[in-house]
Amino acid sequence: MDAITEDVHEQPLVLVIDDDPHVRTLTKRLHERSGKRVLLAENGNQGLEIFEQNMEEIKLVVLDWHLPGNLGTRTFDELYARRSDLRVVLITGDHDAELGTAARENLACLLLKPFNAAEFMLAVDTLLSA
C-alpha cells in the first residue's frame, strides 16, 4: 500500500444521516476540509444500510432526529444495537424532542439548531478525539 492510500484510510470515517440535501452538502464540506472521509444518507433506512456496509470503519454518526420514514429514535436504536460503542451527534431543532431510552442513556452529543459551523466541528472533533 502506498503512502497516499494509507493516509486516506487513517482519516476518520463519518456517516451523516440527514434528509436535507443542503445540510448533507455543508456537513460533507466541513468534514472533508478537516481531513475526514464522509458517507451520506438521506434517510434512516439508507443510513442503516450504509452503516452495515462500513460498520467497522465508521467512527462517528451525525444523525438528524426528524427523518422521513425511519425516525431518528428508531435509527439511533438500530445503530446502537449494532455497535454499542458508536458515538452519535444528534441534531434537532426540536427543543422538546422525545428521545428514546437508548438515546437518553447513550447519546454522545445533542446539538440544538441553530448552531454554527464552529460549534458543530467542535462537537465532532471532541468526540472523535475522546
Side-chain angles (χ1 to χ4, degrees), residues 15 30 36 73 83 88 97 99 114-115 122 129:
L15 171 59
L30 288 170
K36 297 167 189 69
T73 186
R83 220 178 90 205
V88 177
L99 302 181
F115 52 84
L122 176 63
S129 65

Side-chain angles (χ1 to χ4, degrees), residues 6 32 38 56 83 93 109 113:
E6 287 178 22
E32 288 176 342
V38 182
E56 297 302 318
R83 220 178 90 205
C109 179
K113 296 175 185 174

Side-chain angles (χ1 to χ4, degrees), residues 97-113:
E98 287 291 323
L99 302 181
T101 303
R104 279 193 312 273
E105 294 175 0
N106 302 294
L107 186 63
C109 179
L110 173 66
L111 281 178
L112 293 173
K113 296 175 185 174

Side-chain angles (χ1 to χ4, degrees), residues 29 70 81 83 98 100 128:
R29 286 183 187 148
N70 194 353
R83 220 178 90 205
E98 287 291 323
L128 285 173

Side-chain angles (χ1 to χ4, degrees), residues 63-105:
L63 175 63
D64 181 14
W65 197 240
H66 294 286
L67 294 169
N70 194 353
L71 301 176
T73 186
R74 180 168 171 250
T75 302
F76 182 90
D77 290 349
E78 292 287 330
L79 290 167
Y80 189 75
R82 286 167 173 78
R83 220 178 90 205
S84 63
D85 68 329
L86 183 65
R87 293 188 172 119
V88 177
V89 174
L90 185 89
I91 297 174
T92 184
D94 182 359
H95 292 243
D96 296 321
E98 287 291 323
L99 302 181
T101 303
R104 279 193 312 273
E105 294 175 0

